[in-house]
Amino acid sequence: MGEPKIKPASAGPTGERVRSDLNVAYEPGDNALLIEVHSKVDYLYRDAIEGAVLRVAQALAVTTGRLAVTDVGALEWVILARTESCLRRAGFDGPPVLPEPAPEANAPRRRDRLRRSRLYIPGNQPKLMISGGLYGADAIILDLEDSVPPAEKDAARLLVRNALVALDWGLSERLVRINQGTVGEEDLAAIAAHNPHIVLLPKVETPMQVGRVAEVLQRLAGEGAAFLMPILESPLGIHRAFEIAAADPSVVALTLGLEDLSAELAAPRTAEGWESFHARQTTVYAARAAGVQPIASVFSDISDEEGLASYVRRERGLGFDGVGCIHPRQIPVVHREMTPSAEEVERAVRIVRAAREAEKQGLGAVAVGSKMVDPPVVRQAERTVELGVAGGVLGSNWDAEG
Amino acid sequence: MAVKLEKNVAGRLVPDVVNGRESVPFNGVGGYRPEGRKAAPRIASCVDYPADGDKRVGSLREAFEKVGLADGMVLSTHHHLRNGDAVANAAFDSAAEMGLRDLMWFPSASFPVHANQIEHLDSGVIHHIEGSMNGPLGAYCSAGKMRGLGVLRSHGGRWQAIQDGEVHIDVAVIAAPAADAFGNANGLSGPAACGLLGFALADSIYAEKVIVVTDNLVPFPCLPWQIQGNNVDAVVEVSSIGDPSKIVSGTTRLTQSPDRRRIAELAARFCADAGIMRDGFSFQAGAGGTTLAFAIYLAELMRAQGVTARFARGGSTQHMVEMLDEGLIEYILDGQTFDLDGVRSMREDPRHQDTSPFTSYNFHGKGNFASMVDVAVLGATEVDLEFNGNVVTHSDGRLLHGIGGWQNCLASRCAMLLVPSFRDRIPVIVDEVTTLCGPGELIDVVVTERGIAINPLRQDILDAVAGSELPIRPIEDLKAELDRLCGVPAKPERSDDPVAVVKWVDGTVIDTVWRTG
């Protein structure tokens, strides 16, 4: 194996409109490494920027040439990721260079939790990641797939990795959507060890795809390996929905992508959605049969709040536990519409209380009034109570009141 | 000449002499009261003016010659035409033509369009500026190129300085969207309609000589007379006083920035949770992206809870007018009209009242509206752990904004700063503000996208929101998060050369702006 050839390289956007990001360019040379920083915040952060760039250069054993940084107020984790991308593109190699972890970086994953809303954040736009944890989404998705052009996959996965480490995602579950095939495996190699709670797998058509990713994750992260959420985006995927949902114990939810599906069906997406009715219902049935959560697709008209509300009502009515969001302003609408009515919650509370009482008294059967209630009804009532608390129609101390 | 600097009670170094006049260092909120009688122009007599009321002269230059504008005098203009104003530039172009020198420009505010004055500063026509400086003028002053010190005053502070004699205006030039030949004028109609002329009102009363410039001469009487012709010496008709497209904005849209919307929504919910938003309450909000969004979220909450405000103080916008029309607000007390809907409403709706810094902000009034407002939402460039605010300089010390009504609005029962927690990596919450503009004891709440900090001095507000689900956090906690996210910034170097001073609302010097670069 000869020395890898070192070539000029660049990473990160340039231009007037760039904010909270930077461009790093490397020019090989025989001179001792020169770092040039142009930054609109240099009077406060010149040393910090130089320090971050130098840290990456040292980790990748870069001692010669010229690194030119054009910074527009990027945070340190972004500077580290862009510099690392640039130097790897130039042909250097070395261990990953991670930012200081956020206090919440080790927030534990949980199999069962509310997944009413999930906010998509493009994996190559750090500006949109910075506040991603503030909007109260049940989950955020750092997306390496459709929102990232092929030539930027390498850079995006380092940004996403650093964002998982450095940012506080609040109460939101940490999801990453990877690419298909070998690109997806490279994505996993970069992010698996940094506590993604769930990995979303695009365009799943066979249970083997799920098994393969589960295996890779197990190898990379062992006990801490992320859960999986396969996305069904083709007629074949829908056809095999149950096998896919049940393919591996790490699957916690099943979702579908209606844009790609409509294209393959040759049936354009309509507001009524009859063209995808079977797919949506199949997803719900398959998920429930496999004991995982069915999650609906996104609603893509940001400004149509009424349309979103009726979309969420419809999907909830079909049995879905959550929907996707492409803008933070959709989140409160989704949560509102995913919240059961006060009457539903009240009824559910009565059932849950009765079940607890029955358990205390060692009774097998649960009675509410004169009606006997089956265990699945109790489970459904527990979910309704949880949704009611999350949606604010029931106090979190409801069980202390009775 | 070396300037002597002394520390004021806020611990800020300030010059003891400003542009040849002894100045009083800030002595705490309410800690200073000038004495004596109010300033006034010389006595005029009606027999010296045309009996037919026609005060027209052919040009600004003729008007200047008529009123006796001379070297070293104070010439004032106003900013109701905002970045569309053509009159302030024309005034100094005329003064330059006349060969005048060393004038002091006393604008109520300046805008980027006034970069024109840089050539007059360079050539010596203008000696220095006492008024807000931003854009190219801010850079010019910050670089230490101006001969005198810049003096930054609030809208109320400008009225105070005129009234207590700190600034004597020799000639006021008032741009008027509508005027008659007697000098009665208003801002309600004509191609440059801007709403009201309140910023020019003090000048019309206290200046030695007053010139009205209009591109919309109407037959006497021009009603309503926001400026009274009885105070006016000369009227000049020109083809245009400004570019309408830069005077008012067409429509003011809700910001698309999720962070700004979040800040605005948190602030509105805070008003509801703290019990500020209740029947008969009052608020002040402007047209900036975040404060406009605040008013929109507030309107939603008011509608949902069936609450009506007795009055709102503008900066009026289309949105505020819609609230008036809907009955969510009973009156608008408007200090500045930002769009054409606001202008129309002020013209047609008696519940939409024009105001001036006298009614709203003046330190020497027997009370003013600012302290009667239940909640005012404002911006800032920095706020520190003591809740002190900076609104005039960037974190590198460069002049960035004027004070506007900001200092005055701090008198509100609840003054809230709506700010992003950082901009381009630069934290907005800092250890110590670069330039002190507002003392922390008057700043009650800081709302950022990462949480809300309440001034510990306001135990009543802390009690009122106990149990709220809003993300209320100590300001130190917010700052610690920012230090982790942004990294602790280096301390920028500053020079020892003052280029401007910041006045507090009572005329004392609260801080100094230093030369940069």
Side-chain angles (χ1 to χ4, degrees), chain A residues 40-41 44-45 131 134-135, chain B residues 259 262 396 424 450 487 490:
Chain A
K40 68 187 290 191
V41 299
L44 296 177
Y45 288 106
S131 297
L134 297 178
Y135 305 114
Chain B
D259 281 359
R262 177 172 161 82
D396 62 358
D424 291 329
R450 288 173 192 275

Side-chain angles (χ1 to χ4, degrees), chain A residues 6 8 16 91 124 146 178 185 191 254 273 288 305 315 346:
Chain A
I6 300 301
E16 289 288 306
N124 59 350
D146 282 354
I178 61 168
E185 290 189 17
I191 58 130
L254 186 67
R288 294 283 182 227
E305 203 172 288
E315 300 305 281
E346 206 177 309

Side-chain angles (χ1 to χ4, degrees), chain B residues 257-488:
Chain B
S257 151
D259 281 359
R260 284 179 174 204
R261 289 169 72 124
R262 177 172 161 82
I263 294 166
E265 189 185 357
L266 288 177
R269 286 172 55 198
F270 185 88
C271 291
D273 283 12
I276 294 167
M277 191 194 89
R278 63 188 188 288
D279 249 345
F281 83 114
S282 55
F283 67 92
Q284 167 142 8
T290 312
T291 53
L292 178 70
F294 164 81
I296 291 173
Y297 285 113
L298 188 69
E300 270 177 28
L301 291 170
M302 289 168 70
R303 212 173 281 127
Q305 299 184 18
V307 167
T308 305
R310 176 61 177 168
F311 69 93
R313 295 234 338 107
S316 77
T317 57
Q318 175 195 3
H319 174 71
M320 202 176 264
V321 169
E322 282 166 7
M323 289 178 80
L324 183 71
D325 291 343
E326 191 185 333
L328 290 173
I329 303 172
E330 292 178 40
Y331 290 92
I332 297 176
L333 301 181
D334 196 352
Q336 181 164 196
T337 317
F338 287 108
D339 57 32
L340 289 170
D341 288 281
V343 175
R344 180 204 45 80
S345 166
M346 179 176 287
R347 193 169 55 231
E348 295 171 1
D349 192 333
R351 300 171 302 165
H352 188 155
Q353 175 66 43
D354 67 298
T355 67
S356 73
F358 176 70
T359 58
S360 308
Y361 298 146
N362 179 26
F363 188 72
H364 297 321
K366 295 172 181 173
N368 65 50
F369 300 162
S371 63
M372 297 158 64
V373 174
D374 287 316
V375 60
V377 295
L378 304 159
T381 56
E382 295 174 321
V383 55
D384 69 23
L385 294 177
E386 303 294 317
F387 286 78
N388 296 306
N390 174 18
V391 74
V392 299
T393 55
H394 201 49
S395 298
D396 62 358
R398 257 179 315 128
L399 279 169
L400 195 72
H401 298 293
I403 299 170
W406 189 91
Q407 284 179 335
N408 311 111
C409 289
L410 298 182
S412 148
R413 293 198 182 101
C414 179
M416 297 173 66
L417 300 186
L418 274 50
V419 289
S421 62
F422 64 98
R423 298 182 176 97
D424 291 329
R425 195 178 182 177
I426 299 172
V428 169
I429 298 174
V430 295
D431 283 320
E432 192 179 27
V433 286
T434 304
T435 308
L436 175 63
C437 300
E441 64 187 281
L442 296 179
I443 294 171
D444 302 306
V445 181
V446 176
V447 184
T448 75
E449 80 285 6
R450 288 173 192 275
I452 301 172
I454 301 173
N455 191 327
L457 294 173
R458 293 300 301 269
Q459 190 59 45
D460 57 329
I461 300 180
L462 284 159
D463 292 344
V465 294
S468 164
E469 286 177 3
L470 293 168
I472 294 166
R473 309 165 59 180
I475 196 163
E476 293 79 8
D477 192 33
L478 275 171
K479 181 170 185 297
E481 181 178 337
L482 293 177
D483 284 349
R484 199 185 63 69
L485 198 63
C486 302
V488 178

Side-chain angles (χ1 to χ4, degrees), chain A residues 66-85:
Chain A
R66 190 175 75 101
L67 267 168
V69 176
T70 311
D71 168 69
V72 200
L75 299 181
E76 186 174 74
W77 60 272
V78 183
I79 299 173
L80 294 173
R82 292 293 187 202
T83 308
E84 187 177 334
S85 299

Side-chain angles (χ1 to χ4, degrees), chain A residues 27-344:
Chain A
E27 196 61 52
D30 296 331
N31 54 299
L33 180 66
L34 194 65
I35 298 174
E36 287 172 11
V37 174
H38 299 276
S39 168
K40 68 187 290 191
V41 299
D42 64 353
Y43 64 99
L44 296 177
Y45 288 106
R46 169 173 290 279
D47 291 350
I49 296 168
E50 271 179 14
V53 171
L54 188 62
R55 211 185 119 201
V56 181
Q58 283 170 347
L60 274 66
V62 182
T63 53
T64 58
R66 190 175 75 101
L67 267 168
V69 176
T70 311
D71 168 69
V72 200
L75 299 181
E76 186 174 74
W77 60 272
V78 183
I79 299 173
L80 294 173
R82 292 293 187 202
T83 308
E84 187 177 334
S85 299
C86 170
L87 292 176
R88 289 193 189 282
R89 284 173 180 181
F92 294 99
D93 198 6
V97 187
L98 299 176
E100 189 70 25
E104 302 79 3
N106 292 321
R109 68 203 158 89
R110 277 174 32 217
R111 170 172 283 273
D112 287 314
R113 54 166 290 161
L114 283 182
R115 298 192 173 99
R116 297 168 298 175
S117 59
R118 61 182 199 282
L119 175 66
Y120 277 90
I121 301 173
N124 59 350
Q125 294 191 40
K127 187 178 185 311
L128 300 180
M129 297 179 192
I130 293 167
S131 297
L134 297 178
Y135 305 114
D138 287 341
I140 55 93
I141 300 178
L142 297 166
D143 181 29
L144 293 171
E145 201 217 7
D146 282 354
S147 59
V148 180
E152 289 297 317
K153 299 287 187 194
D154 61 329
R157 68 173 69 102
L158 300 190
L159 277 172
V160 166
R161 177 198 72 196
N162 284 8
L164 283 171
V165 175
L167 289 179
D168 171 10
W169 296 101
L171 298 174
S172 301
E173 194 172 27
R174 308 142 56 96
L175 277 52
V176 177
R177 179 164 76 171
I178 61 168
N179 291 282
Q180 300 179 58
T182 52
V183 181
E185 290 189 17
E186 288 175 61
D187 294 338
L188 289 176
I191 58 130
H194 303 288
N195 196 24
H197 290 160
I198 299 182
V199 169
L200 279 95
L201 316 180
K203 210 155 193 178
V204 178
E205 296 190 321
T206 71
M208 280 83 82
Q209 279 170 276
V210 179
R212 169 78 189 145
V213 170
E215 199 183 293
V216 173
L217 272 172
Q218 197 64 43
R219 177 162 49 74
L220 291 168
E223 277 302 293
F227 296 125
L228 297 179
M229 189 187 305
I231 312 175
L232 311 176
E233 301 183 76
S234 63
L236 189 56
I238 296 296
H239 187 68
R240 292 188 178 137
F242 173 73
E243 294 164 69
I244 290 166
D248 190 273
S250 61
V251 174
V252 293
L254 186 67
T255 186
L256 75 172
L258 290 180
E259 297 296 343
D260 286 12
L261 183 66
S262 302
E264 284 208 27
L265 282 175
R269 237 186 129 170
T270 63
E272 298 76 27
W274 282 109
E275 71 285 350
S276 61
F277 178 70
H278 171 76
R280 288 180 288 133
Q281 215 175 23
T282 302
T283 303
V284 174
Y285 274 64
R288 294 283 182 227
V292 305
Q293 287 176 318
I295 306 286
S297 188
V298 299
F299 183 78
S300 34
D301 186 347
I302 299 170
S303 56
D304 184 2
E305 203 172 288
E306 264 315 298
L308 171 65
S310 61
Y311 170 76
V312 178
R313 278 195 294 275
R314 194 185 67 192
E315 300 305 281
R316 178 173 170 244
L318 282 177
F320 283 107
D321 284 349
V323 304
C325 300
I326 55 170
H327 192 279
R329 62 196 273 196
Q330 295 183 319
I331 295 163
V333 180
V334 169
H335 287 184
R336 188 184 73 218
E337 297 301 335
M338 289 299 297
T339 302
S341 70
E343 295 74 40
E344 286 173 82

